[in-house]
Short mmCIF file of all heavy atoms in Angstrom, two decimals:
data_model
loop_
_atom_site.label_atom_id
_atom_site.label_comp_id
_atom_site.label_asym_id
_atom_site.label_seq_id
_atom_site.Cartn_x
_atom_site.Cartn_y
_atom_site.Cartn_z
N VAL I 50 9.84 46.70 -46.74
CA VAL I 50 8.59 46.92 -47.45
C VAL I 50 8.79 46.56 -48.92
O VAL I 50 9.76 46.98 -49.55
CB VAL I 50 8.16 48.40 -47.32
CG1 VAL I 50 6.91 48.68 -48.15
CG2 VAL I 50 7.93 48.77 -45.86
N ALA I 51 7.85 45.77 -49.46
CA ALA I 51 7.95 45.32 -50.85
C ALA I 51 7.76 46.50 -51.80
O ALA I 51 7.07 47.48 -51.49
CB ALA I 51 6.90 44.26 -51.13
N ASP I 52 8.37 46.40 -52.96
CA ASP I 52 8.23 47.45 -53.97
C ASP I 52 6.79 47.51 -54.48
O ASP I 52 6.07 46.51 -54.48
CB ASP I 52 9.19 47.19 -55.13
CG ASP I 52 9.24 48.36 -56.09
OD1 ASP I 52 9.06 49.51 -55.63
OD2 ASP I 52 9.45 48.13 -57.30
N ASN I 53 6.37 48.71 -54.89
CA ASN I 53 5.04 48.92 -55.45
C ASN I 53 3.94 48.59 -54.44
O ASN I 53 2.91 48.00 -54.78
CB ASN I 53 4.85 48.08 -56.72
CG ASN I 53 3.85 48.70 -57.67
OD1 ASN I 53 3.71 49.92 -57.73
ND2 ASN I 53 3.15 47.87 -58.43
N SER I 54 4.15 49.01 -53.19
CA SER I 54 3.20 48.71 -52.11
C SER I 54 2.22 49.86 -51.90
O SER I 54 2.47 51.00 -52.31
CB SER I 54 3.94 48.45 -50.80
OG SER I 54 4.66 47.24 -50.84
N VAL I 55 1.13 49.53 -51.22
CA VAL I 55 0.16 50.53 -50.81
C VAL I 55 -0.01 50.44 -49.29
O VAL I 55 -0.13 49.34 -48.73
CB VAL I 55 -1.20 50.35 -51.53
CG1 VAL I 55 -1.77 48.97 -51.28
CG2 VAL I 55 -2.20 51.41 -51.09
N LEU I 56 0.05 51.58 -48.62
CA LEU I 56 -0.14 51.62 -47.17
C LEU I 56 -1.64 51.64 -46.88
O LEU I 56 -2.36 52.51 -47.37
CB LEU I 56 0.53 52.87 -46.58
CG LEU I 56 0.26 53.18 -45.10
CD1 LEU I 56 0.73 52.04 -44.21
CD2 LEU I 56 0.90 54.50 -44.69
N VAL I 57 -2.11 50.68 -46.08
CA VAL I 57 -3.53 50.58 -45.74
C VAL I 57 -3.75 51.17 -44.34
O VAL I 57 -3.13 50.73 -43.37
CB VAL I 57 -4.00 49.11 -45.77
CG1 VAL I 57 -5.47 49.03 -45.35
CG2 VAL I 57 -3.81 48.53 -47.16
N ILE I 58 -4.61 52.16 -44.26
CA ILE I 58 -4.96 52.79 -42.99
C ILE I 58 -6.45 52.66 -42.77
O ILE I 58 -7.25 53.07 -43.62
CB ILE I 58 -4.56 54.28 -42.96
CG1 ILE I 58 -3.05 54.43 -43.15
CG2 ILE I 58 -5.00 54.93 -41.65
CD1 ILE I 58 -2.59 55.88 -43.23
N LYS I 59 -6.84 52.07 -41.64
CA LYS I 59 -8.25 51.88 -41.33
C LYS I 59 -8.77 53.03 -40.47
O LYS I 59 -8.30 53.24 -39.36
CB LYS I 59 -8.46 50.53 -40.64
CG LYS I 59 -8.14 49.34 -41.53
CD LYS I 59 -8.52 48.03 -40.88
CE LYS I 59 -8.25 46.86 -41.82
NZ LYS I 59 -8.68 45.57 -41.23
N LEU I 60 -9.74 53.74 -41.02
CA LEU I 60 -10.39 54.82 -40.27
C LEU I 60 -11.62 54.24 -39.59
O LEU I 60 -12.76 54.52 -39.95
CB LEU I 60 -10.79 55.96 -41.22
CG LEU I 60 -9.67 56.55 -42.07
CD1 LEU I 60 -10.22 57.64 -42.99
CD2 LEU I 60 -8.55 57.12 -41.20
N ASP I 61 -11.36 53.41 -38.60
CA ASP I 61 -12.43 52.69 -37.93
C ASP I 61 -12.02 52.39 -36.50
O ASP I 61 -10.84 52.16 -36.22
CB ASP I 61 -12.71 51.38 -38.68
CG ASP I 61 -13.99 50.71 -38.24
OD1 ASP I 61 -14.85 51.40 -37.68
OD2 ASP I 61 -14.14 49.49 -38.45
N GLY I 62 -12.98 52.41 -35.58
CA GLY I 62 -12.67 52.10 -34.19
C GLY I 62 -12.10 53.30 -33.45
O GLY I 62 -12.05 54.42 -33.96
N ALA I 63 -11.66 53.05 -32.22
CA ALA I 63 -11.17 54.11 -31.35
C ALA I 63 -9.71 54.44 -31.66
O ALA I 63 -8.90 53.53 -31.85
CB ALA I 63 -11.31 53.70 -29.89
N LEU I 64 -9.40 55.72 -31.71
CA LEU I 64 -8.03 56.17 -31.94
C LEU I 64 -7.46 56.73 -30.64
O LEU I 64 -8.00 57.67 -30.07
CB LEU I 64 -8.00 57.25 -33.02
CG LEU I 64 -6.61 57.80 -33.39
CD1 LEU I 64 -5.78 56.73 -34.09
CD2 LEU I 64 -6.73 59.03 -34.27
N GLN I 65 -6.36 56.12 -30.17
CA GLN I 65 -5.67 56.60 -28.98
C GLN I 65 -4.48 57.46 -29.40
O GLN I 65 -4.10 57.48 -30.57
CB GLN I 65 -5.16 55.41 -28.15
CG GLN I 65 -6.24 54.45 -27.69
CD GLN I 65 -6.98 54.95 -26.47
OE1 GLN I 65 -6.76 56.07 -26.01
NE2 GLN I 65 -7.88 54.14 -25.94
N GLU I 66 -3.89 58.18 -28.45
CA GLU I 66 -2.68 58.93 -28.76
C GLU I 66 -1.54 58.00 -29.15
O GLU I 66 -0.78 58.28 -30.07
CB GLU I 66 -2.27 59.79 -27.55
CG GLU I 66 -3.12 61.03 -27.35
CD GLU I 66 -2.94 62.04 -28.46
OE1 GLU I 66 -1.79 62.30 -28.88
OE2 GLU I 66 -3.95 62.60 -28.92
N ARG I 67 -1.41 56.89 -28.42
CA ARG I 67 -0.43 55.85 -28.75
C ARG I 67 -1.13 54.50 -28.70
O ARG I 67 -2.07 54.32 -27.94
CB ARG I 67 0.74 55.83 -27.74
CG ARG I 67 1.63 57.02 -27.77
CD ARG I 67 2.69 56.92 -26.68
NE ARG I 67 3.71 55.91 -26.97
CZ ARG I 67 4.65 55.53 -26.12
NH1 ARG I 67 4.68 56.05 -24.90
NH2 ARG I 67 5.54 54.63 -26.45
N ALA I 68 -0.64 53.56 -29.50
CA ALA I 68 -1.23 52.23 -29.49
C ALA I 68 -0.97 51.55 -28.16
O ALA I 68 0.12 51.64 -27.60
CB ALA I 68 -0.64 51.38 -30.62
N GLU I 69 -2.01 50.85 -27.64
CA GLU I 69 -1.88 50.12 -26.38
C GLU I 69 -1.79 48.63 -26.70
O GLU I 69 -2.64 47.84 -26.29
CB GLU I 69 -3.10 50.40 -25.50
CG GLU I 69 -3.21 51.84 -25.07
CD GLU I 69 -2.60 52.09 -23.71
OE1 GLU I 69 -3.07 51.51 -22.72
OE2 GLU I 69 -1.63 52.86 -23.63
N ASP I 70 -0.78 48.24 -27.46
CA ASP I 70 -0.67 46.86 -27.91
C ASP I 70 0.04 46.01 -26.86
O ASP I 70 1.13 45.50 -27.07
CB ASP I 70 0.07 46.78 -29.25
CG ASP I 70 -0.75 47.37 -30.38
OD1 ASP I 70 -1.98 47.40 -30.25
OD2 ASP I 70 -0.17 47.78 -31.38
N ASN I 71 -0.62 45.86 -25.69
CA ASN I 71 -0.03 45.00 -24.68
C ASN I 71 -0.34 43.54 -25.00
O ASN I 71 -1.01 43.23 -25.97
CB ASN I 71 -0.53 45.38 -23.28
CG ASN I 71 -2.05 45.38 -23.19
OD1 ASN I 71 -2.71 44.45 -23.65
ND2 ASN I 71 -2.61 46.43 -22.60
N LEU I 72 0.16 42.65 -24.16
CA LEU I 72 0.03 41.22 -24.42
C LEU I 72 -1.43 40.80 -24.51
O LEU I 72 -1.83 40.06 -25.42
CB LEU I 72 0.75 40.42 -23.32
CG LEU I 72 0.71 38.89 -23.45
CD1 LEU I 72 1.34 38.45 -24.76
CD2 LEU I 72 1.41 38.25 -22.27
N TYR I 73 -2.25 41.29 -23.57
CA TYR I 73 -3.66 40.91 -23.59
C TYR I 73 -4.34 41.38 -24.87
O TYR I 73 -5.10 40.66 -25.50
CB TYR I 73 -4.38 41.51 -22.38
CG TYR I 73 -5.88 41.32 -22.42
CD1 TYR I 73 -6.46 40.09 -22.11
CD2 TYR I 73 -6.72 42.36 -22.82
CE1 TYR I 73 -7.83 39.91 -22.18
CE2 TYR I 73 -8.09 42.19 -22.89
CZ TYR I 73 -8.64 40.96 -22.56
OH TYR I 73 -9.99 40.79 -22.63
N ALA I 74 -4.05 42.64 -25.26
CA ALA I 74 -4.66 43.19 -26.46
C ALA I 74 -4.24 42.40 -27.69
O ALA I 74 -5.05 42.15 -28.59
CB ALA I 74 -4.28 44.65 -26.61
N THR I 75 -2.97 42.00 -27.74
CA THR I 75 -2.49 41.23 -28.88
C THR I 75 -3.18 39.88 -28.98
O THR I 75 -3.62 39.45 -30.05
CB THR I 75 -0.96 41.01 -28.77
OG1 THR I 75 -0.33 42.29 -28.70
CG2 THR I 75 -0.43 40.24 -29.96
N LEU I 76 -3.33 39.19 -27.83
CA LEU I 76 -3.93 37.86 -27.84
C LEU I 76 -5.43 37.91 -28.10
O LEU I 76 -5.99 37.02 -28.73
CB LEU I 76 -3.66 37.17 -26.50
CG LEU I 76 -2.20 36.83 -26.20
CD1 LEU I 76 -2.07 36.22 -24.82
CD2 LEU I 76 -1.62 35.89 -27.25
N SER I 77 -6.10 38.99 -27.60
CA SER I 77 -7.56 39.06 -27.72
C SER I 77 -8.02 39.79 -28.97
O SER I 77 -9.20 39.85 -29.26
CB SER I 77 -8.14 39.78 -26.49
OG SER I 77 -7.67 41.10 -26.41
N GLY I 78 -7.05 40.35 -29.71
CA GLY I 78 -7.44 41.06 -30.93
C GLY I 78 -8.06 42.41 -30.66
O GLY I 78 -8.81 42.94 -31.50
N THR I 79 -7.80 43.03 -29.50
CA THR I 79 -8.40 44.31 -29.15
C THR I 79 -7.37 45.44 -29.15
O THR I 79 -7.55 46.46 -28.50
CB THR I 79 -9.06 44.25 -27.75
OG1 THR I 79 -8.06 43.86 -26.79
CG2 THR I 79 -10.20 43.26 -27.74
N SER I 80 -6.27 45.27 -29.90
CA SER I 80 -5.23 46.29 -29.94
C SER I 80 -5.82 47.62 -30.42
O SER I 80 -6.60 47.66 -31.36
CB SER I 80 -4.11 45.86 -30.90
OG SER I 80 -3.48 44.69 -30.43
N THR I 81 -5.44 48.69 -29.73
CA THR I 81 -5.96 50.00 -30.10
C THR I 81 -5.10 50.63 -31.19
O THR I 81 -3.94 50.28 -31.37
CB THR I 81 -5.97 50.93 -28.88
OG1 THR I 81 -4.64 50.99 -28.34
CG2 THR I 81 -6.92 50.43 -27.81
#
Side-chain angles (χ1 to χ4, degrees):
V50 176
D52 189 31
N53 207 31
S54 290
V55 58
L56 172 61
V57 177
I58 299 176
K59 295 187 177 183
L60 305 178
D61 192 22
L64 182 68
Q65 301 280 5
E66 284 293 316
R67 292 177 72 188
E69 296 264 298
D70 291 336
N71 55 46
L72 180 60
Y73 172 77
T75 302
L76 294 177
S77 62
T79 57
S80 297
T81 56

